[in-house]
């Protein structure tokens, strides 16, 4: 991890946690910050020079996710005299986390986005006068500058296609007036000063293009309502405002500010976000993109492609900022040379090396540009946004001490320091600033949801939640709402009582828990108690929290193997038995235990079930057959569930014998429901929870309960009956699932189908018990065994909690109303899961039931009661505080698009169970159009209807939404089976935000651009065929598959190095792993594949695709910015369509 600070392994409780300043206690890591109000959470790492903040918190600022204005620029004014630029380079300020606990001051009103991020035109003569008086003092300027990275940023090879939207230009937005409210921003200027239309910002032509939708300027600064100062993160398409469209810079000379009609002409003129004319960049000396307009964060100039077009952050990732820019009056006197190198003027164009660029529109003067197509480089690029967030927010820890901070994107590698709010690895929200009233929420249509992953795995540098034991009395809770003690509870009356932060009820503090308060009203033992100072922690549960009021036994794992003809013939049975011999030594165990407490049992089945007695005292295992599958029972108690170490030799003998016993079987039919019933009965008899691992190959057609018929019918697609394909054929499995949940019996299902086996029905029990489904269609030993064995190993070894119940409490004003994921609910509040592992997420939607206040914000507390793998009953608590707003602009400035897409996909995927797919698709498009139309109407300054204006942090909503609409569940191609769709539907429903992000918008890496000497991955490129070059090799991953695409003109040497064959024609399509060859390129590519495999919860299948080969159609299905064969729109067309929908809503 590129973190400027050492990994933080939290000190043991009882010792002060370093760095919690703000509460002056000498032992806590640093003197108090000068001038900082005593706040609940202090700075993270020692005092921060020059960052005082005398103002009371206004609302915390979101460090712009997508490169928005850096916090400092957004309204925190540095006191004059502290022009220490370098401070930002040193890791003192976490991105977006104010050093003082007071959240960064944002002007009270909502602010239109800081323009600065547009690309600087190469030579423009307009002057700055137009924008109002110069900043009042150098000091204000400093804010802006601090946000721009000046100084040489790492210049690496130009970013691959689509990395940027052209050279950045730092242009002020036309957006509405910036009020000079609390930030040293510009005084308002009227729109007349620069015709808005020129903001075609992203170069979508204004003139009606031959597209469905009117032209759009896709990026206009979101001008907020006039009078609001620019928001940190909401540009029309914001701050990051894509630099000028097409990766090519804007036409080299446009004398004077563009006239209204002029720039509009072709895509590339893009003045990003609505900026009327940009400042004259003249020759840009250092890497500075153009004069920092006060308040703008200029994106880095083209010279540093790594984060093209986005403003730089203050976190040291780009070298430090050098000295303030001279104060400038009306016309800008010419940029001083900031960086070391005297940068040449921004290159006139930056074509992407990886793309076969679209027609060179950039060459023509603006008037002659053809109007027929929108340049794909002119519209928001996911790659760009991801890269910018990495550069801006990847090098500083994310400190959770401030309410309502938007975390870095899931694609950014960052370290989290828990100082009172749960880590984003546990909870991510669609918005961190939620509307105060339900009317505002309805008006915006932005869903308020949290994606919660209660047992998420943390990286080794982060501390696991502390386990707190309060003894017999158990955790301290609110008398009324039963919320658990947390950092937001308010102690009163000298510490004798506390007021609940969720329901305001006052509760007596139990005598054993009493502690005095200090002069700030905080308990003196604040730092010694995880539940008072951290966002996530665990309590040891007392017997009152256990079933039947008795402590649970350790759980059991039962392996249930299909031994029908298909399973034996394919080699599957032998493979499973061989693997289990060694895998049983790796059952999950508590941290310091010598061996796992989990007991194991074995069953094989076809039309009947075979149970095995593997008691340690036996010389040989014994088999018992139950042929009456209609009335399932377990024929033995003693000897079925055993300790692995005690029965090791008997188990090994059994696993050797099973493949031989069934080697000559002719039985092709299988049962399924009785297998689950047998496992359930065995766990009931043993009085424990546990997990069934079922390995199954075919549709269960044998006479037995839960028997199914083949009902697959492709003719139902696109009809009103299509939804029946996603519904179970019988309610039998729903009832069985309910019984399993009651016992804590979780089911993980491994499917090996050669034809339809009705995943929609077989998946009901795994889904409702919190289990997982793995599917290996047409399983072949040589190509699929690696993937299956890796999945099985991870599934058996991963952390899992049993017999789990989760409840989400909220402060007054909102409540949890809807839940998505793999679980069962018997009432409206409790999410019940027989098993919950570290990969599963539960998505919760909230609705208003009262007004919220900006002062108190909103709180969530997720409490998970579960049995650990050692049989210990625990409570895991995650707390999160959010801001509340009365201005829509604040809502739009603090949204997280990746989480929003995760929620929308799950909502839509549930919708297909009850509505026709077309209805679901239309509802999605309509909701997103309403979200964007509300922004346009209420937060963007008036401008021509021909512009598409997107909020900065939602500028990727259209591209990602289009990916969801084109997914196999909502728009299947002819090759997608009904089982695939049901499988994907269930899989996505419990994915976390990082998984849905790469699933819907896969990662595409140019392998030939990889630096064989470095550990880093090559820079990703956009998912479009026009970005692929015939002479290169690319890797595409989406969390389930890895494709290696080889162009027809790839050099013979590369083919030899990677595949060990001498020509393109000799590369085999059947490869499932890359050959191990001793050369740097082969090692590098294999290490990239290894890195990607480790990041995902499932082992991805590797598929080699040769250009112009039949498999290429499958590969192209994942190039999601292009039109899909199944009728899905390209990104450009969909953006036009969204624009048309928005205009209809506005008119």
């Amino acid at each position: 991890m590129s973190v400027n600070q050492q990994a933080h392994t939290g000190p043991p409780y009882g010792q002060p946690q370093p760095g919690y300043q703000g509460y002056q206690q000498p032992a806590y890591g640093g003197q108090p910050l000068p001038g900082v109000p005593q706040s609940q959470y202090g700075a993270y790492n020692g005092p921060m020079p020059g960052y005082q903040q005398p103002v009371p918190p206004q609302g915390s600022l979101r460090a712009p996710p997508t490169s928005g204005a850096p916090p400092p620029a957004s309204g925190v004014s540095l006191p004059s005299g502290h022009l220490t630029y370098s401070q930002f380079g040193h890791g003192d300020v976490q991105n977006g986390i104010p050093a003082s606990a007071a959240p960064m001051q944002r002007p009270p009103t909502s602010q239109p986005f800081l323009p600065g991020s547009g690309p600087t035109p190469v030579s423009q003569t307009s002057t700055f006068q137009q924008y109002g008086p110069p900043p009042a003092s150098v000091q204000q300027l400093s804010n802006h500058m601090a946000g721009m990275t000046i100084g040489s940023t790492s210049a690496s090879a130009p970013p691959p296609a689509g990395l940027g939207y052209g050279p950045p230009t730092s242009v002020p937005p036309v957006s509405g007036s910036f009020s000079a409210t609390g930030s040293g921003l510009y005084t308002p200027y009227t729109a007349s000063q620069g015709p808005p239309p020129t903001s075609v910002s992203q170069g979508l032509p204004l003139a009606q293009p031959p597209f469905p939708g009117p032209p759009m300027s896709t990026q206009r600064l979101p001008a907020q309502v006039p009078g609001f100062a620019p928001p940190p993160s909401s540009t029309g398409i914001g701050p990051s405002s894509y630099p000028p469209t097409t990766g090519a810079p804007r036409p080299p000379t446009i004398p004077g500010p563009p006239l209204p009609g002029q720039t509009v002409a072709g895509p590339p003129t893009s003045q990003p976000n609505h900026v009327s004319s940009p400042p004259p960049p003249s020759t840009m000396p250092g890497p500075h993109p153009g004069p920092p307009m006060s308040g703008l964060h200029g994106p880095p100039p083209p010279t540093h492609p790594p984060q093209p077009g986005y403003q730089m952050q203050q976190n040291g990732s780009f070298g430090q900022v050098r000295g303030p820019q001279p104060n400038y009056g009306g016309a800008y006197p010419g940029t001083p040379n900031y960086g070391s190198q005297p940068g040449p003027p921004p290159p006139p164009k930056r074509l992407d090396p990886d793309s076969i660029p679209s027609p060179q529109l950039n060459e023509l003067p603006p008037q002659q540009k053809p109007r027929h197509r929108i340049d794909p480089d002119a519209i928001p690029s996911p790659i760009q946004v991801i890269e910018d967030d990495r550069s801006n927010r990847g090098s500083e820890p994310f400190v959770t001490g401030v309410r309502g901070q938007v975390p870095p994107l899931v694609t950014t590698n960052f370290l989290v320091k828990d100082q009172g709010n749960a880590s984003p690895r546990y909870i991510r929200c669609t918005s961190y600033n939620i509307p105060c009233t339900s009317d505002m929420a309805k008006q915006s249509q932005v869903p308020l949801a949290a994606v919660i992953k209660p047992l998420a795995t943390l990286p080794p540098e982060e501390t696991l939640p502390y386990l707190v034991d309060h003894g017999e009395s158990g955790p301290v809770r609110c008398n009324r709402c039963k919320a658990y003690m947390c950092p937001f509870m308010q102690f009163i009356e000298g510490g004798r009582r506390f007021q609940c932060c969720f329901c305001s009820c006052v509760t007596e503090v139990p005598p054993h828990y009493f502690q005095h308060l200090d002069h700030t009203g905080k308990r003196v033992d604040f730092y010694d108690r995880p539940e008072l100072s951290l966002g996530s922690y665990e309590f040891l549960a007392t017997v009152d929290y256990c079933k039947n009021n008795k402590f649970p036994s350790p759980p059991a794992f039962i392996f249930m193997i299909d031994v029908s003809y298909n399973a034996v013939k394919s080699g599957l049975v032998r493979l499973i038995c061989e693997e289990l011999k060694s895998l049983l030594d790796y059952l999950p165990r508590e941290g310091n235990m010598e061996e796992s407490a989990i007991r194991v049992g074995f069953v094989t089945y076809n039309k009947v079930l075979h149970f095995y007695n593997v008691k340690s005292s036996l010389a040989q295992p014994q088999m018992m057959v139950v042929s009456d599958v209609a009335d399932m029972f377990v024929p033995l108690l003693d000897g079925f569930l055993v300790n692995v170490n005690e029965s090791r030799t008997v188990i090994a003998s059994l696993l050797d014998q099973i493949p031989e016993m069934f080697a000559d079987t002719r039985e092709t039919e299988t049962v399924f429901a009785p297998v689950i019933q047998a496992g359930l009965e065995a766990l009931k008899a043993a009085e424990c929870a546990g997990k069934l691992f079922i390995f199954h190959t075919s549709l269960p057609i044998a006479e037995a309960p839960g028997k199914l018929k083949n009902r697959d019918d492709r003719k139902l697609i696109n009809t009103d009956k299509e939804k029946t394909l996603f519904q179970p054929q019988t309610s039998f499995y729903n009832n069985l699932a309910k019984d399993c949940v009651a016992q804590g019996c979780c089911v993980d299902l491994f499917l090996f189908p050669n034809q339809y086996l009705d995943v929609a029905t077989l998946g009901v029990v795994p889904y409702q018990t919190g289990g997982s489904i793995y599917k290996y269609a047409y399983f072949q030993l040589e190509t699929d065994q690696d993937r299956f064995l890796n999945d099985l190993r991870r599934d058996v070894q991963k952390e899992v909690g049993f017999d789990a119940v989760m409840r989400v409490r909220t402060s007054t004003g909102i409540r949890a109303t809807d839940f998505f994921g793999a679980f069962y609910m018997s009432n409206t509040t409790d999410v019940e899961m027989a098993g919950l592992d570290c990969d599963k997420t539960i998505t919760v939607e909230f609705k208003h039931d009262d007004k919220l206040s900006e002062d108190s914000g909103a709180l969530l507390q997720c409490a998970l009661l579960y049995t650990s793998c050692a049989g210990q009953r625990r409570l895991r608590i995650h707390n999160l505080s959010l801001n509340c707003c009365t201005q829509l602009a604040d809502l739009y400035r603090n949204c997280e698009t990746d989480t929003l897409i995760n929620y929308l996909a799950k909502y839509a995927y549930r919708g297909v169970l009850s509505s026709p797919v077309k209805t679901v698709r239309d509802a999605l498009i309509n909701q997103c159009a309403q979200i964007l139309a509300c922004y346009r109407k209420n937060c963007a300054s008036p401008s021509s209807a021909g512009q598409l204006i997107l909020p900065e942090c939602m500028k990727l909503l259209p591209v990602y939404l289009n990916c969801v609409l084109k997914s196999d569940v909502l728009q299947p191609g002819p090759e997608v089976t009904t089982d695939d769709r049901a499988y994907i539907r269930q899989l996505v429903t419990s994915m976390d935000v990082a998984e849905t992000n790469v699933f819907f918008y896969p990662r595409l890496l140019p392998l030939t651009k990889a630096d064989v000497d470095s550990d880093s991955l090559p820079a990703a490129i956009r998912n479009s065929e026009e970005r692929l070059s015939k002479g290169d090799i690319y890797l595409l991953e989406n969390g389930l598959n890895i494709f290696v695409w080889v162009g027809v003109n790839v050099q013979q040497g590369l083919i030899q190095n990677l595949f060990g064959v001498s020509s393109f024609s000799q590369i085999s399509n059947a490869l499932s792993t890359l050959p191990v060859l001793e050369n740097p390129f082969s090692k590098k590519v294999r290490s990239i594949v290894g890195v990607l495999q480790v990041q995902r919860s499932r082992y991805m299948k590797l598929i080699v695709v040769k250009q112009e080969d039949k498999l290429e159609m499958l590969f192209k299905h994942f190039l999601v910015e292009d039109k899909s064969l199944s009728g899905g729109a390209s990104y450009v067309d969909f953006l036009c369509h969204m624009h048309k929908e928005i205009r209809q809503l506005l008119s």
Side-chain angles (χ1 to χ4, degrees), residues 96-222:
I97 295 181
S100 78
M104 280 189 190
Q105 169 52 21
R106 186 195 278 143
T109 47
S110 63
Q111 336 162 203
F113 197 110
L114 283 182
S117 29
T120 328
V122 186
S123 76
Q124 263 206 200
T125 41
S126 70
T127 58
F128 267 59
Q129 284 119 290
Q130 228 170 318
Y131 297 105
S137 68
V138 181
Q139 173 228 327
Q140 278 162 289
L141 185 57
S142 68
N143 293 344
H144 306 306
M145 305 240 5
M148 320 182 64
T149 324
I150 305 173
S152 42
T153 70
S154 48
S156 59
L163 255 193
Y165 292 106
T169 77
S170 90
V171 188
V174 168
S175 65
S177 39
F178 294 42
S179 77
T181 11
S183 53
L185 303 174
Y186 285 109
T187 44
Y189 51 74
T190 58
S192 58
Q193 277 153 331
T198 56
S199 85
V200 169
S201 78
Q202 252 2 7
L204 301 179
L206 268 190
Q208 289 295 85
F211 284 98
M216 7 212 316
S217 104
T218 53
Q219 297 253 22
R220 151 190 175 175
L221 268 187

Side-chain angles (χ1 to χ4, degrees), residues 1083-1094:
K1083 285 179 182 164
K1084 177 66 183 175
V1085 173
R1086 283 181 290 114
S1087 95
I1088 289 173
V1089 170
V1091 167
L1092 300 183
Q1093 291 285 20
V1094 172

Side-chain angles (χ1 to χ4, degrees), residues 9 99 113 445 534 549 656 685 739 895 1064 1066:
T9 50
F113 197 110
Q445 288 285 310
L534 298 180
N549 277 358
D656 284 335
D739 296 340
C895 288
F1064 178 80
Q1066 292 175 305

Side-chain angles (χ1 to χ4, degrees), residues 767-824:
Y767 184 66
Q768 293 192 13
T769 58
S772 307
I773 305 179
Y774 297 84
K775 181 165 160 288
Y776 310 89
Y778 308 108
F779 178 82
Q780 288 182 312
L781 217 53
E782 53 283 1
T783 54
D784 297 311
Q785 83 171 39
D786 273 356
R787 181 165 61 111
F788 162 57
L789 293 180
N790 275 288
D791 283 342
L792 176 60
R793 286 167 195 155
R794 188 162 190 282
D795 197 58
V796 168
Q797 296 173 42
K798 66 187 173 188
E799 182 187 356
V800 59
F802 293 95
D803 234 336
V805 184
M806 186 182 101
R807 184 176 282 197
V808 178
R809 292 180 174 82
T810 51
S811 53
T812 315
I814 52 171
R815 62 195 168 88
T817 54
D818 207 353
F819 301 85
F820 303 82
F823 53 74
Y824 174 77

Side-chain angles (χ1 to χ4, degrees), residues 343-420:
K349 59 171 185 273
R350 204 186 87 246
L351 288 177
D352 295 295
D354 300 302
S355 64
I356 301 151
S358 46
Q360 284 341 94
L361 300 168
N362 346 322
E363 267 57 333
L364 311 170
Q367 292 82 343
Q368 301 159 22
K369 301 220 169 139
R371 302 177 172 216
H372 63 282
R373 72 170 281 209
I374 292 177
D375 176 357
D377 280 335
I379 54 183
S381 154
I383 304 302
Q384 184 59 54
V385 172
I386 288 169
E387 283 302 313
D388 286 347
D389 193 73
R390 280 188 184 141
S391 355
N392 296 338
R393 307 197 62 189
S395 57
E396 290 297 325
F398 177 70
V399 181
T400 70
V402 179
R403 184 175 84 189
Q405 282 178 114
V406 183
L409 299 182
V410 283
T411 41
T412 297
N413 197 0
F414 59 100
L415 192 67
V416 179
K417 305 234 172 177
D418 183 342
Q419 291 195 1

Side-chain angles (χ1 to χ4, degrees), residues 651-704:
I651 292 173
S653 168
L654 170 67
L655 293 172
D656 284 335
Q657 291 175 38
I658 288 174
E660 308 309 325
M661 263 190 292
F662 298 100
D664 302 324
T665 184
R666 288 280 164 268
E667 186 54 75
T668 55
E669 293 188 353
T670 57
V671 295
F672 184 69
V675 181
I676 296 176
Q677 287 171 324
L680 172 60
E681 292 304 323
L683 294 177
K684 271 187 188 164
E687 296 187 346
C688 68
K691 187 182 267 200
L692 312 182
F693 295 83
I694 302 180
F695 304 91
H696 189 79
T697 59
S698 56
L699 190 70
I701 53 174
E703 234 5 276

Side-chain angles (χ1 to χ4, degrees), residues 867-1146:
T867 302
S868 73
C869 57
Q872 203 176 49
R873 201 71 177 146
R874 294 181 177 181
L875 283 151
R876 179 168 288 202
I877 313 294
H878 297 298
N879 302 289
L880 186 63
S881 57
L882 303 173
N883 286 330
C884 296
C885 57
T886 52
Q887 298 293 337
L888 284 164
D890 289 325
L891 163 69
Y892 283 103
R893 196 173 308 130
N894 290 280
C895 288
E896 234 262 296
T897 300
D898 293 323
T899 310
L900 193 56
I901 288 293
N902 179 283
Y903 165 83
L904 291 170
K906 291 172 181 178
Y907 184 77
Y909 281 17
R910 185 176 65 186
V912 298
L913 291 172
S914 51
S915 310
V917 173
K918 182 174 189 315
T919 310
V920 173
R921 293 164 47 81
D922 292 346
L924 267 185
I925 294 174
N926 184 44
Q927 181 168 4
C928 289
Q930 286 189 323
I931 290 172
L932 298 174
C934 172
Y935 175 80
R936 172 67 191 260
K937 182 176 172 190
N938 300 288
C939 310
S941 60
S943 62
S944 112
Q947 289 180 318
L948 171 62
I949 302 178
L950 302 175
E952 173 54 22
C953 37
M954 287 190 186
K955 61 189 169 199
L956 299 181
L957 188 60
V959 61
Y960 286 164
L961 178 71
N962 190 35
C963 297
V964 174
L965 294 170
K966 294 200 291 191
S967 63
D968 292 339
V969 173
L970 299 182
Q971 195 162 32
E975 73 298 335
V976 181
T977 66
T978 304
D979 274 346
D980 287 335
R981 298 176 73 195
Y983 173 62
I984 294 298
R985 194 190 76 77
Q986 293 202 5
L987 205 56
V988 168
T989 307
S990 35
M991 277 184 181
D992 70 13
V993 181
E995 290 171 317
T996 49
N997 174 274
V998 77
F999 179 76
F1000 289 114
Y1001 192 93
R1003 175 149 59 161
L1004 181 58
L1005 305 175
L1007 295 179
T1008 17
K1009 303 274 185 293
D1011 175 358
V1012 294
D1013 301 320
S1014 94
D1015 292 339
S1016 60
L1017 296 176
I1021 59 172
R1022 293 173 66 172
N1023 286 187
S1024 170
E1025 192 174 1
E1026 65 177 35
R1027 309 277 171 183
L1028 304 179
S1029 139
K1030 293 183 175 182
D1032 288 324
I1033 300 176
Y1034 298 86
L1035 178 149
L1036 181 144
E1037 63 124 353
N1038 72 342
L1040 297 182
N1041 299 302
I1042 288 182
F1043 292 91
V1044 175
W1045 182 91
V1046 188
V1048 286
N1049 299 344
V1050 173
Q1051 294 169 3
Q1052 208 175 329
L1054 283 176
I1055 290 176
Q1056 182 70 54
N1057 284 344
L1058 190 55
F1059 300 104
V1061 295
S1062 55
S1063 70
F1064 178 80
S1065 58
Q1066 292 175 305
I1067 299 170
S1068 160
N1069 281 350
L1071 289 175
S1072 60
T1073 51
L1074 294 171
V1076 178
L1077 303 173
E1078 287 303 311
N1079 65 71
F1081 185 60
S1082 170
K1083 285 179 182 164
K1084 177 66 183 175
V1085 173
R1086 283 181 290 114
S1087 95
I1088 289 173
V1089 170
V1091 167
L1092 300 183
Q1093 291 285 20
V1094 172
Q1095 288 176 7
R1096 306 290 168 219
S1097 61
R1098 293 175 179 239
Y1099 194 83
M1100 296 180 280
K1101 178 177 186 172
L1102 186 113
I1103 301 168
V1104 175
V1105 177
K1106 291 153 67 173
Q1107 188 178 2
E1108 295 164 13
D1109 188 65
K1110 59 183 186 300
L1111 268 177
E1112 201 183 22
M1113 298 314 278
L1114 177 60
F1115 173 75
K1116 285 181 179 173
H1117 176 67
F1118 296 97
L1119 297 176
V1120 292
E1121 290 196 22
D1122 300 338
K1123 279 195 173 64
S1124 71
L1125 294 172
S1126 51
S1130 68
Y1131 175 21
V1132 168
D1133 291 349
F1134 183 69
L1135 202 54
C1136 293
H1137 178 67
M1138 282 300 284
H1139 190 196
K1140 191 168 83 182
E1141 295 280 322
I1142 292 167
R1143 287 181 70 169
Q1144 279 176 350
L1145 289 171
L1146 292 175

